[in-house]
Amino acid sequence: MLKQLKTITLSTLLALGTATLGSTAPLPSPNNQGDYMGRAYHTYWEVVDPDPKGLNCRMTNSSFEELMRADNRTPFEFFNWSLVGVLKQGQRFESFPSNAAGTFNDTRGLPWLFVGKSYPAGAAQGCFVRANSQFVKPIQMSPTRVQPQASQPLTSSTALPMKLGFDEGFGSIVVPESDTTASAYGGRLRRYDVHIAKMFEVTHFMCQQENLTPGITWNYAAGDGRINMGSFDITCRLANQI
């Protein structure tokens, strides 16, 4: 007999999908050159650059969503992109991950972080800074202690409302909106795309934890469950490739 399906809120899911980033997880360590390389992704960072002019934050004309598209052709020459703002020593920010769930490497192979959300309000965000110990350091920071910035809504936030459930290789994702073709963050990325991405994210995480094999069959419903959006079989192998 199947066990009772457990419903998980989005906040719980995000904690699940990024469990290695919690307050008890070890902080990323830089290499011998001070660079934070590879897939050791971390959410919260603090500026340590002592330069009184601040740490340069750079961005191109493309949006973050466009840069993350699989068909993106914009070379990651962050060092040549426009200076759009600075972050002062002691300021904190949330970093959004690359498609490889880590830092962003420029064309020289050096890592950068995307400043998705800054604290306090009014600081530079939506741009890239060098991921080097001379400029930034990872910190532990509880999201429940972060104050919202009502004056600066974050268009790149992935906090879309959704409920997920799991039961012996089967999963469900239920979203409140009926029109899943609507823009997720104001760009071309649809809410549908974000929902599919969440299925892959959770499948990959659970496979890495060896909680299931060979994958998850997802049942996707919109309009608070009234609209059947179909079923999706996502294997551990496919989730790992994506």
Side-chain angles (χ1 to χ4, degrees), residues 58-74:
R58 300 180 178 276
M59 190 58 177
T60 186
N61 293 329
S62 300
S63 67
F64 181 72
E65 291 84 358
E66 291 172 332
L67 294 174
M68 292 301 95
R69 288 175 58 92
D71 58 354
N72 170 59
R73 294 295 180 266
T74 301

Side-chain angles (χ1 to χ4, degrees), residues 18 30 44 48 56 106 143 164 173 180 216 220-221:
T18 56
Y44 299 107
V48 297
N56 291 340
D106 63 23
L164 293 96
I173 176 169
T180 59
I216 298 178
Y220 176 22

Side-chain angles (χ1 to χ4, degrees), residues 146-163:
V146 174
Q147 297 300 317
Q149 303 180 53
S151 61
Q152 289 191 339
L154 184 64
T155 58
S156 296
S157 171
T158 57
L160 293 180
M162 62 184 81
K163 291 183 179 181

